[in-house]
Structures are given as structure tokens and as C-alpha cells.
Amino acid sequence: MKTYIKENWNKLLLLLLASLIFILWGRIIFKEINENNAIRDLTTTIARVNCAASFGWEADPGSETAAKVKIPEEFDDVYNEYNKLQTMCGFDLRRYKGKTVERYTYIVQNFPYEVNEPVYINMYIYNDTMIAGDCMTTSLDGFMLPIDRRFTP
């Protein structure tokens, strides 16, 4: 064991440093989201549009649609993958398993790339607070991105 540590000391230090950076980065993002007052008191269209703007998106208020969505008690592969997208931005749907939430959808007016279909932003609201969100298209060969534009390629 001592020989292994001596031979791989630099690799182990690099791995430790990378892990610490990743943990710190995750904590910073989580703190930013939790301190973002724009995700709270989302009782009006204007408040939700302003919330979208806080993540870098210009949402068309006239395109708003709303639907109730039940978060499943048990996550399948699709929900697990979707939740990975959410945790990138500091959200976590596991806390809301079994809850019914409101999903608000808007057409994005400032998507940075040319696409041949509308781009939408979804915001999931529970008790007037945003708990998840994404940016997406609806075609079979479309995409889904985190709501936070810092993570948009």
C-alpha cells in the first residue's frame, strides 16, 4: 500500500484536488440558486418571466401555458436523467416525489443558435417557488438543456 501511494502520489493529489474543486463548484451553484430571490413568489406571469430572465432566457409572456404535473414516487431512468440535469443547476426533484406541481411553459425569444423549430423553457413551480426547469425543443431529434444558460453549449 505504501508503495502504491508513493508511486501514485501526484495522481492521488490531482484526484483529491479535482474532487474538492467539483464539490466547491457544486456548493457555489447550489447556494446561488437558493439565494436567487427570482425563483420565489412566482404567482404572476411577470414574476415567472423575470425568473426566466435571471437564468438568461427571454420568455414570451404571451405564450404561457400551464399544466399540473405529478412527480412520481419512484424515478425511472428518464426521471433520474432529468434530475441529473436539475442538480447541475442546484435543483433536486427527489424532495418532491409524489407531489403535484405546476409546469409553466414559454417560447424562448433569445435562443443563441439557429434551430428550425420553437425553443421552449419549462419552469416547475411548487408553493410559488421554482423547483426545476429546462430549455428544450419538442422534435424527436431535439434537445433538452439545463435552465441555467451558463450550462448551454
Side-chain angles (χ1 to χ4, degrees):
M1 182 70 160
K2 286 184 180 183
T3 304
Y4 177 81
I5 291 174
K6 284 182 182 180
E7 290 174 0
N8 295 295
W9 182 249
N10 288 340
K11 291 178 185 175
L12 291 171
L13 282 177
L14 185 61
L15 179 63
L16 179 62
L17 180 62
S19 298
L20 289 173
I21 289 170
F22 181 74
I23 290 168
L24 179 61
W25 175 74
R27 291 184 58 94
I28 289 169
I29 296 297
F30 183 76
K31 183 178 179 186
E32 282 181 26
I33 294 297
N34 284 330
E35 290 179 355
N36 181 354
N37 287 329
I39 69 167
R40 291 175 182 72
D41 300 320
L42 301 179
T43 58
T44 66
T45 299
I46 296 301
R48 291 184 291 273
V49 167
N50 289 338
C51 178
S54 77
F55 290 103
W57 300 111
E58 186 179 323
D60 175 11
S63 68
E64 179 182 82
T65 60
K68 294 206 179 293
V69 176
K70 181 163 181 166
I71 308 297
E73 293 279 349
E74 294 296 322
F75 285 3
D76 60 9
D77 289 343
V78 172
Y79 260 91
N80 281 322
E81 287 302 311
Y82 186 73
N83 202 47
K84 285 181 188 175
L85 190 78
Q86 297 310 309
T87 57
M88 285 177 63
C89 299
F91 297 112
D92 189 350
L93 284 173
R94 291 177 294 184
R95 295 179 44 202
Y96 302 95
K97 287 182 174 183
K99 306 276 190 217
T100 298
V101 304
E102 196 80 25
R103 180 187 66 217
Y104 291 92
T105 303
Y106 302 89
I107 294 175
V108 171
Q109 296 177 315
N110 65 331
F111 193 72
Y113 306 108
E114 184 66 36
V115 292
N116 295 325
E117 62 182 305
V119 177
Y120 299 95
I121 186 172
N122 292 304
M123 301 168 65
Y124 294 85
I125 312 293
Y126 183 74
N127 289 340
D128 300 328
T129 299
M130 186 171 144
I131 62 165
D134 60 75
C135 180
M136 58 166 262
T137 59
T138 57
S139 67
L140 290 176
D141 61 342
F143 60 82
M144 181 176 286
L145 303 169
I147 193 166
D148 194 327
R149 272 192 74 177
R150 292 178 292 178
F151 302 109
T152 302

